[in-house]
Amino acid sequence: MLSCHRNIKLFTLSILSCAVLGGCNTEKNSYKGPVQGSAQIAKADIATTAKSKVLEPVQIATPASNPALFGEDQRFISQAPDVTESPRYKYSPAYEYNFGKLVVNGKPNFRSTGQPEQTNISAVNIIEMHGWVRYPEITSKDDHKKFPVILLLHGQHDPAVSNYKGYDYLATNLAEQGYVVLSIDANEINGMTTTVPSGRVIISGEGSSQSRAQLLLGTLDKLAQLDEFGGAGALTALKGKLDFNRIGLMGHSRGGQGVDLAIKFNTTRYGNDISILKKAILAHPENFKQFPALITAAKLEENDALVTALNQDNINFAQTTDSIKPYNFKAAITVGSTDAEQIKGMSNVPTAHLLPSCDGDVNNLQAAMTFDNNRFSLQHDSAPKYQILVRGANHNFYNTVWNNDDYPLESTLPNKSYCAASRPQTNRQTEDEQRNMGRFIINSFLRFHVGDEQQFKAYWNAVGQLPNSVCANGDTGCDERALLTVQKQSSKIIQRFEESNAAAINLLGGINRFEGFDPNGIITCRSFLGFKDTFRLSKCSSNTVPFYYKTNAQTKNGGLVSFADQLHLHWSQANSSYQLNLNQLSTQGYDSLSFRVALPLDIGQEIYVELTDLEGKTARVTASDFSDALYTIPRKKQNGMPLKIQAEDEQYQGKTAEALNMISIPLKAFKGIKTEYLKELKFIYPKEKGGIAMNDIQLQKLRS
């Protein structure tokens, strides 16, 4: 029987509780007392690792001096500071930690429809809780201070290299601003194998990333123990210094999916107990061959010998909902993330999904689907959601250890590729350019939401310009590189396209009018929720939008990666228009009109946006004055763009991966009308022909 429940009358109940709640600890509670583990200064710091490059602090560029760039009626209200400015601490050496081992389980049938089995004994494994940590060097003035905690989780890559060391350029920057940063080593998960139908065993990692989520939460459990009791060698210095009310997460590739799942598992902790582990050892001893004492002990009827062996090897079960409160995640950002499970229901945590437009690995940009499926969450969820499309970024360069270009050579592609780094005048970012901008995006997001650092608020409300220092060649602003979409939960939705009558009636009850579009040129599509969803042809009012049905390799072949509910418009005459009756819409509490657009077929388009007040007065603005989303190549607006196409860009028509990106226009930009109440909204498409996808037409509060 379980040694934590000696009373036979409670045996059945305890087994049931452990299964539901995710697992029971052994008789010796491994989360009481000092952490049994070690930490020492890393032998090979990232600065001397042969395969890695150090991202040096940038020279801070002089802020833009033209006051006309900023204002309440302009695109931007200010320019964001760079994250490298004004460090507050010296950062510590990198300490390599080992907190013992953790029992985890994957989900081998995660691609199946319906709800896959959460705990499959064939996928139970024991892995190291290992990685390295940076933190602010603590002085006497910090005696009573606690520091926010950031966890970084890498994805699937060669398990023979130190993948977790590749985010040190993020960790050192955060540590010098007062954050404790752990980069988790998930290499044992990366090294997990699969037997393919031919019988060959291949290294595939654990595709569902459930085990990565368990590793992340298990690491937090050990940090909580460290904060309370100390231990783990040199990391005893962090006892009492960790602020568990301020936790931030970053995950890259499959690590991003692990982060997303950790948010969901945080309140319903899936895990294992001793009975599950025993069954797994007996059924699949090959998964535990490095633990012969466990295999021997599992064959005994009583569990006492197994408990002893677990304690001797410092093997832990994750904490469960009956033994620990959910963690207070303040923010989570993913980079080039996978989403094999079509994750939904991530609520009450601000989440951001960075999409590298030239991702040669996750080349269908699955995190666009994660954003779309979670952007409108539960009724009382107040957490904003974000999507950032970074044009010209690849998958690997956000990790300094992954310094090979994952995007294929131009010669291997059937057509000239927008993303080929070998092409003359390429639009790709270099390694340093990509990491420099990535450091700003990732760390400013974490510092804004985890540390409540308000200097980054304007940027994350999409009204702050990127700092010059993150731009290539000393450029003044480079927001055409990073397209930010913001979804506040308190917005006033004017139109989505989930309903069958969405083309006729908007969500305010007003009538829609379309003029000048092609026959079958007005098509509405309901949300495609993911790869387990029904066939996409059933989602749209017509199946004549071929780019909507592409499923793979959009970064190589072009196509739409956003499958939220949306409207597709096609026209063959200038000034076609889409008009919505707003039924005397009040704008109280809002300051911006926002909507999302994508150009899956065209290089550039323009939209004139008109608002009409209750007196019948109309004001018009040009949408491209407020966004770079209407030109698919990262160029500043010039020479008649986006109505005119640069000659060298024409070769890329229809060949770029396109997401639905936000255009946000301040209500104060509509001059000469009273914007307190609105009668009509009209979109006019001045180009002589083209097509566009749109969704999420709404009012938001973004400028205060």
mmCIF file of all heavy atoms in Angstrom, residues 208-249:
data_model
loop_
_atom_site.group_PDB
_atom_site.id
_atom_site.type_symbol
_atom_site.label_atom_id
_atom_site.label_comp_id
_atom_site.label_asym_id
_atom_site.label_seq_id
_atom_site.Cartn_x
_atom_site.Cartn_y
_atom_site.Cartn_z
ATOM 1 N N SER A 208 4.013 16.129 -27.675
ATOM 2 C CA SER A 208 2.900 16.868 -27.080
ATOM 3 C C SER A 208 3.367 18.019 -26.209
ATOM 4 O O SER A 208 2.588 18.926 -25.915
ATOM 5 C CB SER A 208 2.035 15.923 -26.236
ATOM 6 O OG SER A 208 2.654 15.643 -24.990
ATOM 7 N N SER A 209 4.628 17.972 -25.764
ATOM 8 C CA SER A 209 5.230 18.964 -24.855
ATOM 9 C C SER A 209 4.576 18.983 -23.479
ATOM 10 O O SER A 209 4.850 19.872 -22.673
ATOM 11 C CB SER A 209 5.200 20.378 -25.458
ATOM 12 O OG SER A 209 6.061 20.453 -26.573
ATOM 13 N N GLN A 210 3.745 17.986 -23.184
ATOM 14 C CA GLN A 210 3.187 17.896 -21.837
ATOM 15 C C GLN A 210 4.292 17.731 -20.805
ATOM 16 O O GLN A 210 4.251 18.332 -19.721
ATOM 17 C CB GLN A 210 2.208 16.724 -21.755
ATOM 18 C CG GLN A 210 1.633 16.495 -20.361
ATOM 19 C CD GLN A 210 0.580 15.413 -20.347
ATOM 20 O OE1 GLN A 210 -0.510 15.609 -20.852
ATOM 21 N NE2 GLN A 210 0.900 14.260 -19.770
ATOM 22 N N SER A 211 5.300 16.903 -21.129
ATOM 23 C CA SER A 211 6.395 16.687 -20.185
ATOM 24 C C SER A 211 7.193 17.968 -19.968
ATOM 25 O O SER A 211 7.728 18.196 -18.876
ATOM 26 C CB SER A 211 7.314 15.572 -20.682
ATOM 27 O OG SER A 211 7.814 15.880 -21.973
ATOM 28 N N ARG A 212 7.290 18.838 -20.993
ATOM 29 C CA ARG A 212 7.983 20.120 -20.811
ATOM 30 C C ARG A 212 7.220 21.005 -19.833
ATOM 31 O O ARG A 212 7.824 21.700 -19.007
ATOM 32 C CB ARG A 212 8.141 20.826 -22.157
ATOM 33 C CG ARG A 212 9.043 20.105 -23.132
ATOM 34 C CD ARG A 212 9.155 20.847 -24.460
ATOM 35 N NE ARG A 212 9.716 19.990 -25.489
ATOM 36 C CZ ARG A 212 11.008 19.857 -25.739
ATOM 37 N NH1 ARG A 212 11.881 20.547 -25.045
ATOM 38 N NH2 ARG A 212 11.428 19.042 -26.690
ATOM 39 N N ALA A 213 5.902 20.992 -19.943
ATOM 40 C CA ALA A 213 5.098 21.770 -18.999
ATOM 41 C C ALA A 213 5.291 21.249 -17.580
ATOM 42 O O ALA A 213 5.402 22.032 -16.620
ATOM 43 C CB ALA A 213 3.625 21.711 -19.393
ATOM 44 N N GLN A 214 5.337 19.924 -17.421
ATOM 45 C CA GLN A 214 5.544 19.346 -16.097
ATOM 46 C C GLN A 214 6.927 19.693 -15.554
ATOM 47 O O GLN A 214 7.084 19.969 -14.356
ATOM 48 C CB GLN A 214 5.359 17.829 -16.167
ATOM 49 C CG GLN A 214 3.927 17.414 -16.480
ATOM 50 C CD GLN A 214 3.797 15.930 -16.767
ATOM 51 O OE1 GLN A 214 4.775 15.259 -17.116
ATOM 52 N NE2 GLN A 214 2.589 15.416 -16.643
ATOM 53 N N LEU A 215 7.931 19.702 -16.432
ATOM 54 C CA LEU A 215 9.279 20.080 -16.006
ATOM 55 C C LEU A 215 9.312 21.530 -15.548
ATOM 56 O O LEU A 215 9.946 21.864 -14.540
ATOM 57 C CB LEU A 215 10.260 19.846 -17.151
ATOM 58 C CG LEU A 215 11.704 20.309 -16.922
ATOM 59 C CD1 LEU A 215 12.323 19.618 -15.715
ATOM 60 C CD2 LEU A 215 12.548 20.069 -18.174
ATOM 61 N N LEU A 216 8.640 22.400 -16.277
ATOM 62 C CA LEU A 216 8.606 23.815 -15.888
ATOM 63 C C LEU A 216 7.942 23.983 -14.527
ATOM 64 O O LEU A 216 8.476 24.669 -13.641
ATOM 65 C CB LEU A 216 7.867 24.608 -16.964
ATOM 66 C CG LEU A 216 7.912 26.140 -16.882
ATOM 67 C CD1 LEU A 216 7.727 26.750 -18.266
ATOM 68 C CD2 LEU A 216 6.844 26.688 -15.946
ATOM 69 N N LEU A 217 6.781 23.344 -14.339
ATOM 70 C CA LEU A 217 6.085 23.473 -13.053
ATOM 71 C C LEU A 217 6.868 22.790 -11.932
ATOM 72 O O LEU A 217 6.912 23.294 -10.802
ATOM 73 C CB LEU A 217 4.682 22.882 -13.166
ATOM 74 C CG LEU A 217 3.716 23.665 -14.069
ATOM 75 C CD1 LEU A 217 2.437 22.868 -14.309
ATOM 76 C CD2 LEU A 217 3.381 25.017 -13.466
ATOM 77 N N GLY A 218 7.505 21.655 -12.236
ATOM 78 C CA GLY A 218 8.322 20.991 -11.223
ATOM 79 C C GLY A 218 9.513 21.831 -10.799
ATOM 80 O O GLY A 218 9.909 21.844 -9.627
ATOM 81 N N THR A 219 10.110 22.548 -11.750
ATOM 82 C CA THR A 219 11.211 23.457 -11.420
ATOM 83 C C THR A 219 10.724 24.580 -10.516
ATOM 84 O O THR A 219 11.409 24.966 -9.553
ATOM 85 C CB THR A 219 11.828 24.024 -12.706
ATOM 86 O OG1 THR A 219 12.309 22.944 -13.515
ATOM 87 C CG2 THR A 219 12.976 24.964 -12.396
ATOM 88 N N LEU A 220 9.548 25.114 -10.804
ATOM 89 C CA LEU A 220 8.977 26.142 -9.925
ATOM 90 C C LEU A 220 8.726 25.594 -8.527
ATOM 91 O O LEU A 220 8.926 26.295 -7.526
ATOM 92 C CB LEU A 220 7.677 26.682 -10.517
ATOM 93 C CG LEU A 220 7.810 27.822 -11.523
ATOM 94 C CD1 LEU A 220 6.472 28.110 -12.188
ATOM 95 C CD2 LEU A 220 8.338 29.087 -10.847
ATOM 96 N N ASP A 221 8.284 24.338 -8.441
ATOM 97 C CA ASP A 221 8.083 23.730 -7.117
ATOM 98 C C ASP A 221 9.379 23.720 -6.318
ATOM 99 O O ASP A 221 9.406 24.010 -5.116
ATOM 100 C CB ASP A 221 7.574 22.296 -7.271
ATOM 101 C CG ASP A 221 6.189 22.216 -7.893
ATOM 102 O OD1 ASP A 221 5.467 23.231 -7.881
ATOM 103 O OD2 ASP A 221 5.833 21.129 -8.391
ATOM 104 N N LYS A 222 10.481 23.388 -6.989
ATOM 105 C CA LYS A 222 11.769 23.365 -6.301
ATOM 106 C C LYS A 222 12.232 24.780 -5.937
ATOM 107 O O LYS A 222 12.859 24.994 -4.896
ATOM 108 C CB LYS A 222 12.815 22.659 -7.169
ATOM 109 C CG LYS A 222 12.685 21.146 -7.146
ATOM 110 C CD LYS A 222 12.896 20.608 -5.734
ATOM 111 C CE LYS A 222 12.716 19.124 -5.629
ATOM 112 N NZ LYS A 222 12.857 18.635 -4.222
ATOM 113 N N LEU A 223 11.930 25.746 -6.788
ATOM 114 C CA LEU A 223 12.268 27.127 -6.446
ATOM 115 C C LEU A 223 11.494 27.599 -5.227
ATOM 116 O O LEU A 223 12.031 28.328 -4.382
ATOM 117 C CB LEU A 223 11.983 28.043 -7.637
ATOM 118 C CG LEU A 223 12.988 28.031 -8.783
ATOM 119 C CD1 LEU A 223 12.523 28.979 -9.882
ATOM 120 C CD2 LEU A 223 14.376 28.441 -8.299
ATOM 121 N N ALA A 224 10.224 27.216 -5.139
ATOM 122 C CA ALA A 224 9.429 27.587 -3.961
ATOM 123 C C ALA A 224 10.019 26.958 -2.704
ATOM 124 O O ALA A 224 10.075 27.593 -1.632
ATOM 125 C CB ALA A 224 7.979 27.150 -4.160
ATOM 126 N N GLN A 225 10.457 25.725 -2.827
ATOM 127 C CA GLN A 225 11.119 25.059 -1.705
ATOM 128 C C GLN A 225 12.424 25.775 -1.353
ATOM 129 O O GLN A 225 12.733 25.997 -0.171
ATOM 130 C CB GLN A 225 11.383 23.601 -2.059
ATOM 131 C CG GLN A 225 12.052 22.799 -0.951
ATOM 132 C CD GLN A 225 12.355 21.378 -1.398
ATOM 133 O OE1 GLN A 225 12.037 20.978 -2.531
ATOM 134 N NE2 GLN A 225 12.980 20.602 -0.527
ATOM 135 N N LEU A 226 13.186 26.148 -2.369
ATOM 136 C CA LEU A 226 14.435 26.878 -2.149
ATOM 137 C C LEU A 226 14.178 28.201 -1.446
ATOM 138 O O LEU A 226 14.909 28.591 -0.532
ATOM 139 C CB LEU A 226 15.123 27.117 -3.493
ATOM 140 C CG LEU A 226 16.402 27.958 -3.487
ATOM 141 C CD1 LEU A 226 17.538 27.199 -2.836
ATOM 142 C CD2 LEU A 226 16.784 28.349 -4.911
ATOM 143 N N ASP A 227 13.140 28.894 -1.857
ATOM 144 C CA ASP A 227 12.823 30.184 -1.252
ATOM 145 C C ASP A 227 12.462 30.031 0.216
ATOM 146 O O ASP A 227 12.790 30.888 1.035
ATOM 147 C CB ASP A 227 11.669 30.840 -2.016
ATOM 148 C CG ASP A 227 11.430 32.274 -1.591
ATOM 149 O OD1 ASP A 227 12.369 33.085 -1.706
ATOM 150 O OD2 ASP A 227 10.319 32.581 -1.128
ATOM 151 N N GLU A 228 11.816 28.920 0.558
ATOM 152 C CA GLU A 228 11.393 28.718 1.948
ATOM 153 C C GLU A 228 12.486 28.121 2.818
ATOM 154 O O GLU A 228 12.692 28.555 3.967
ATOM 155 C CB GLU A 228 10.162 27.817 1.985
ATOM 156 C CG GLU A 228 9.612 27.608 3.400
ATOM 157 C CD GLU A 228 8.333 26.789 3.421
ATOM 158 O OE1 GLU A 228 7.875 26.354 2.334
ATOM 159 O OE2 GLU A 228 7.792 26.573 4.535
ATOM 160 N N PHE A 229 13.229 27.151 2.278
ATOM 161 C CA PHE A 229 14.151 26.386 3.115
ATOM 162 C C PHE A 229 15.626 26.547 2.738
ATOM 163 O O PHE A 229 16.494 26.104 3.485
ATOM 164 C CB PHE A 229 13.802 24.888 3.037
ATOM 165 C CG PHE A 229 12.439 24.555 3.535
ATOM 166 C CD1 PHE A 229 11.429 24.231 2.643
ATOM 167 C CD2 PHE A 229 12.147 24.554 4.894
ATOM 168 C CE1 PHE A 229 10.162 23.904 3.085
ATOM 169 C CE2 PHE A 229 10.883 24.229 5.360
ATOM 170 C CZ PHE A 229 9.881 23.913 4.449
ATOM 171 N N GLY A 230 15.930 27.129 1.568
ATOM 172 C CA GLY A 230 17.314 27.200 1.125
ATOM 173 C C GLY A 230 17.769 25.877 0.545
ATOM 174 O O GLY A 230 16.974 25.046 0.123
ATOM 175 N N GLY A 231 19.084 25.662 0.508
ATOM 176 C CA GLY A 231 19.643 24.430 -0.040
ATOM 177 C C GLY A 231 20.180 24.639 -1.436
ATOM 178 O O GLY A 231 20.351 25.768 -1.905
ATOM 179 N N ALA A 232 20.473 23.539 -2.127
ATOM 180 C CA ALA A 232 21.002 23.546 -3.493
ATOM 181 C C ALA A 232 22.284 24.355 -3.597
ATOM 182 O O ALA A 232 22.459 25.179 -4.498
ATOM 183 C CB ALA A 232 19.960 24.052 -4.477
ATOM 184 N N GLY A 233 23.198 24.125 -2.661
ATOM 185 C CA GLY A 233 24.519 24.734 -2.741
ATOM 186 C C GLY A 233 24.489 26.240 -2.739
ATOM 187 O O GLY A 233 23.866 26.878 -1.882
ATOM 188 N N ALA A 234 25.147 26.835 -3.706
ATOM 189 C CA ALA A 234 25.307 28.286 -3.741
ATOM 190 C C ALA A 234 23.983 29.024 -3.867
ATOM 191 O O ALA A 234 23.899 30.217 -3.528
ATOM 192 C CB ALA A 234 26.225 28.672 -4.903
ATOM 193 N N LEU A 235 22.926 28.340 -4.333
ATOM 194 C CA LEU A 235 21.646 29.021 -4.507
ATOM 195 C C LEU A 235 20.923 29.272 -3.192
ATOM 196 O O LEU A 235 19.856 29.902 -3.188
ATOM 197 C CB LEU A 235 20.746 28.232 -5.458
ATOM 198 C CG LEU A 235 21.222 28.159 -6.914
ATOM 199 C CD1 LEU A 235 20.150 27.555 -7.804
ATOM 200 C CD2 LEU A 235 21.622 29.538 -7.432
ATOM 201 N N THR A 236 21.486 28.819 -2.085
ATOM 202 C CA THR A 236 20.940 29.186 -0.780
ATOM 203 C C THR A 236 20.875 30.701 -0.630
ATOM 204 O O THR A 236 20.044 31.227 0.116
ATOM 205 C CB THR A 236 21.795 28.573 0.351
ATOM 206 O OG1 THR A 236 21.654 27.149 0.301
ATOM 207 C CG2 THR A 236 21.343 29.053 1.720
ATOM 208 N N ALA A 237 21.722 31.420 -1.370
ATOM 209 C CA ALA A 237 21.699 32.886 -1.321
ATOM 210 C C ALA A 237 20.352 33.445 -1.757
ATOM 211 O O ALA A 237 20.016 34.593 -1.428
ATOM 212 C CB ALA A 237 22.806 33.451 -2.222
ATOM 213 N N LEU A 238 19.549 32.656 -2.466
ATOM 214 C CA LEU A 238 18.247 33.131 -2.932
ATOM 215 C C LEU A 238 17.115 32.813 -1.960
ATOM 216 O O LEU A 238 15.957 33.132 -2.237
ATOM 217 C CB LEU A 238 17.929 32.512 -4.297
ATOM 218 C CG LEU A 238 18.851 32.923 -5.445
ATOM 219 C CD1 LEU A 238 18.456 32.197 -6.730
ATOM 220 C CD2 LEU A 238 18.821 34.427 -5.653
ATOM 221 N N LYS A 239 17.429 32.210 -0.829
ATOM 222 C CA LYS A 239 16.391 31.924 0.170
ATOM 223 C C LYS A 239 15.711 33.219 0.595
ATOM 224 O O LYS A 239 16.368 34.191 0.972
ATOM 225 C CB LYS A 239 17.009 31.230 1.379
ATOM 226 C CG LYS A 239 15.996 30.927 2.477
ATOM 227 C CD LYS A 239 16.660 30.275 3.694
ATOM 228 C CE LYS A 239 15.636 30.047 4.802
ATOM 229 N NZ LYS A 239 16.265 29.458 6.025
ATOM 230 N N GLY A 240 14.389 33.239 0.488
ATOM 231 C CA GLY A 240 13.617 34.410 0.885
ATOM 232 C C GLY A 240 13.655 35.558 -0.099
ATOM 233 O O GLY A 240 13.118 36.638 0.178
ATOM 234 N N LYS A 241 14.263 35.359 -1.273
ATOM 235 C CA LYS A 241 14.450 36.460 -2.229
ATOM 236 C C LYS A 241 13.575 36.340 -3.476
ATOM 237 O O LYS A 241 13.621 37.225 -4.334
ATOM 238 C CB LYS A 241 15.920 36.522 -2.666
ATOM 239 C CG LYS A 241 16.876 36.894 -1.552
ATOM 240 C CD LYS A 241 16.570 38.288 -1.037
ATOM 241 C CE LYS A 241 17.518 38.714 0.068
ATOM 242 N NZ LYS A 241 17.136 40.040 0.619
ATOM 243 N N LEU A 242 12.788 35.288 -3.591
ATOM 244 C CA LEU A 242 12.031 35.044 -4.815
ATOM 245 C C LEU A 242 10.583 35.494 -4.639
ATOM 246 O O LEU A 242 9.910 35.107 -3.678
ATOM 247 C CB LEU A 242 12.088 33.563 -5.182
ATOM 248 C CG LEU A 242 13.497 32.982 -5.324
ATOM 249 C CD1 LEU A 242 13.430 31.509 -5.688
ATOM 250 C CD2 LEU A 242 14.302 33.748 -6.355
ATOM 251 N N ASP A 243 10.112 36.277 -5.573
ATOM 252 C CA ASP A 243 8.757 36.828 -5.512
ATOM 253 C C ASP A 243 7.833 35.963 -6.369
ATOM 254 O O ASP A 243 7.797 36.098 -7.592
ATOM 255 C CB ASP A 243 8.757 38.274 -6.018
ATOM 256 C CG ASP A 243 7.422 38.960 -5.796
ATOM 257 O OD1 ASP A 243 6.440 38.268 -5.471
ATOM 258 O OD2 ASP A 243 7.364 40.200 -5.954
ATOM 259 N N PHE A 244 7.082 35.093 -5.728
ATOM 260 C CA PHE A 244 6.198 34.195 -6.465
ATOM 261 C C PHE A 244 4.873 34.842 -6.836
ATOM 262 O O PHE A 244 4.000 34.182 -7.413
ATOM 263 C CB PHE A 244 5.995 32.895 -5.680
ATOM 264 C CG PHE A 244 7.190 31.994 -5.740
ATOM 265 C CD1 PHE A 244 8.207 32.096 -4.799
ATOM 266 C CD2 PHE A 244 7.333 31.080 -6.761
ATOM 267 C CE1 PHE A 244 9.326 31.286 -4.877
ATOM 268 C CE2 PHE A 244 8.457 30.266 -6.851
ATOM 269 C CZ PHE A 244 9.454 30.369 -5.903
ATOM 270 N N ASN A 245 4.718 36.098 -6.529
ATOM 271 C CA ASN A 245 3.585 36.855 -7.062
ATOM 272 C C ASN A 245 3.920 37.500 -8.397
ATOM 273 O O ASN A 245 3.052 38.127 -9.012
ATOM 274 C CB ASN A 245 3.158 37.942 -6.073
ATOM 275 C CG ASN A 245 2.450 37.359 -4.877
ATOM 276 O OD1 ASN A 245 1.600 36.483 -5.015
ATOM 277 N ND2 ASN A 245 2.802 37.836 -3.682
ATOM 278 N N ARG A 246 5.171 37.352 -8.844
ATOM 279 C CA ARG A 246 5.595 37.931 -10.123
ATOM 280 C C ARG A 246 6.457 36.903 -10.857
ATOM 281 O O ARG A 246 7.660 36.839 -10.664
ATOM 282 C CB ARG A 246 6.361 39.242 -9.911
ATOM 283 C CG ARG A 246 5.514 40.361 -9.313
ATOM 284 C CD ARG A 246 6.295 41.663 -9.228
ATOM 285 N NE ARG A 246 7.361 41.587 -8.238
ATOM 286 C CZ ARG A 246 8.332 42.507 -8.112
ATOM 287 N NH1 ARG A 246 8.373 43.540 -8.950
ATOM 288 N NH2 ARG A 246 9.249 42.380 -7.184
ATOM 289 N N ILE A 247 5.804 36.107 -11.689
ATOM 290 C CA ILE A 247 6.477 35.051 -12.438
ATOM 291 C C ILE A 247 6.201 35.259 -13.922
ATOM 292 O O ILE A 247 5.064 35.496 -14.333
ATOM 293 C CB ILE A 247 5.984 33.650 -12.014
ATOM 294 C CG1 ILE A 247 6.275 33.408 -10.525
ATOM 295 C CG2 ILE A 247 6.640 32.559 -12.862
ATOM 296 C CD1 ILE A 247 5.665 32.126 -9.997
ATOM 297 N N GLY A 248 7.250 35.163 -14.730
ATOM 298 C CA GLY A 248 7.119 35.264 -16.179
ATOM 299 C C GLY A 248 7.746 34.069 -16.864
ATOM 300 O O GLY A 248 8.693 33.460 -16.344
ATOM 301 N N LEU A 249 7.227 33.721 -18.037
ATOM 302 C CA LEU A 249 7.680 32.549 -18.771
ATOM 303 C C LEU A 249 8.016 32.928 -20.208
ATOM 304 O O LEU A 249 7.360 33.772 -20.808
ATOM 305 C CB LEU A 249 6.587 31.470 -18.791
ATOM 306 C CG LEU A 249 5.922 31.095 -17.462
ATOM 307 C CD1 LEU A 249 4.785 30.113 -17.698
ATOM 308 C CD2 LEU A 249 6.943 30.531 -16.486
#
